[in-house]
Amino acid sequence: AQSVSQHNHHVILSEAASLELGCNYSYGGTVNLFWYVQYPGQHLQLLLKYFSGDPLVKGIKGFEAEFIKSKFSFNLRKPSVQWSDTAEYFCAVSPARSGNTPLVFGKGTRLSVIA
Amino acid sequence: NAGVTQTPKFQVLKTGQSMTLQCAQDMNHNSMYWYRQDPGMGLRLIYYSASEGTTDKGEVPNGYNVSRLNKREFSLRLESAAPSQTSVYFCASSEDGYTYSNQPQHFGDGTRLSIL
C-alpha cells in the first residue's frame, strides 16, 4: 500500500522568507500527486496537482511543486511567504490507474508565518 | 454554489449514544468519502463510495457504518459512540474517483464531534 511522508511537522518562518515543504511517497508505479491547504477553522482546499507532463506544477497563491520521480518526492515551494499563508499543508497521493483509488494523505505540516 | 454540505457542524455525545453525520454534494460527483482528522495524524479515510450503490472500507472503518443514499448523499453512522471517536469528520467528493484518479477532492466544512 502506498504511504506519504511529510518530514516537517511544524515550520515557523518570517514574512518574505522562502518556503519548501517536503513530501515523499512510497509507490512503485505511476502516481497522481496533490497538495491541499487547510486554513485555520476551514476545510481542505486544493493548492495544486500533478498527474502528467511538466514536473514543475504551479498552483494558486504563488505556490509551486516539483515532481522528482527518481526521489519519489513532490516538494511544495513558495519564494516569499505571507502571514496569510499560515495554515496546515497536506500532501496526498493516488495511484494513476483505474479502479478504486482513494487518496492517501500525509500527516500534514503546520506552517506559522510571523511578522 | 454550496459544494459539499455537512450537518451538524458540532455535536457532543455521551458514550454509547448513536449518531448519523449527513453529507450532501451538489456537483453531480460520482465518488464520495468520509475522513477523520486528528492532531498529528492527518486525514484518515474511514469509508468511501466510488459510485452510487457501492461502498468500501478505508483505513479506519471500525465503529462506523455508511450509506450512499443516492448520488448526492453519503451518511456516516456511529452506532455506539466511544471517546476514541472524538474527532473532526470531513466529507469529500470527487468527479469520478473510480476511473479518473487525478480528479481532486472537494471537502465540506467538517463536523466537530466530542464524545464524553
Side-chain angles (χ1 to χ4, degrees), chain A residues 5-55:
Chain A
S5 296
Q6 293 183 242
H7 317 295
N8 312 105
H9 298 295
H10 188 193
V11 172
I12 303 172
L13 293 174
S14 299
E15 277 193 311
S18 63
L19 170 71
E20 181 160 3
L21 301 182
C23 172
N24 287 88
Y25 65 93
S26 66
Y27 182 72
T30 305
V31 292
N32 299 309
L33 297 155
F34 305 81
W35 274 99
Y36 284 84
V37 60
Q38 185 180 29
Y39 297 104
Q42 297 188 25
H43 60 265
L44 275 78
Q45 304 170 44
L46 182 70
L47 261 184
L48 48 80
K49 67 175 183 177
Y50 169 83
F51 55 92
S52 66
D54 189 342

Side-chain angles (χ1 to χ4, degrees), chain B residues 72-111:
Chain B
R72 289 186 64 248
E73 299 172 288
F74 188 40
S75 63
L76 177 73
R77 183 160 179 84
L78 288 69
E79 289 291 351
S80 179
S84 61
Q85 294 177 305
T86 293
S87 188
V88 181
Y89 291 85
F90 285 99
C91 178
S93 69
S94 64
E95 187 170 328
D96 189 340
Y98 188 85
T99 305
Y100 304 109
S101 60
N102 60 6
Q103 295 301 314
Q105 292 182 13
H106 300 258
F107 286 81
D109 287 337
T111 295

Side-chain angles (χ1 to χ4, degrees), chain A residues 48-85:
Chain A
L48 48 80
K49 67 175 183 177
Y50 169 83
F51 55 92
S52 66
D54 189 342
L56 183 63
V57 179
K58 295 194 183 298
I60 60 171
K61 303 187 180 185
F63 286 91
E64 64 179 31
E66 185 175 13
F67 171 48
I68 303 180
K69 189 174 181 180
S70 61
K71 295 185 178 180
F72 298 90
S73 70
F74 190 54
N75 291 355
L76 181 71
R77 301 195 292 246
K78 185 171 183 178
S80 175
V81 294
Q82 301 171 319
W83 179 82
S84 58
D85 293 324

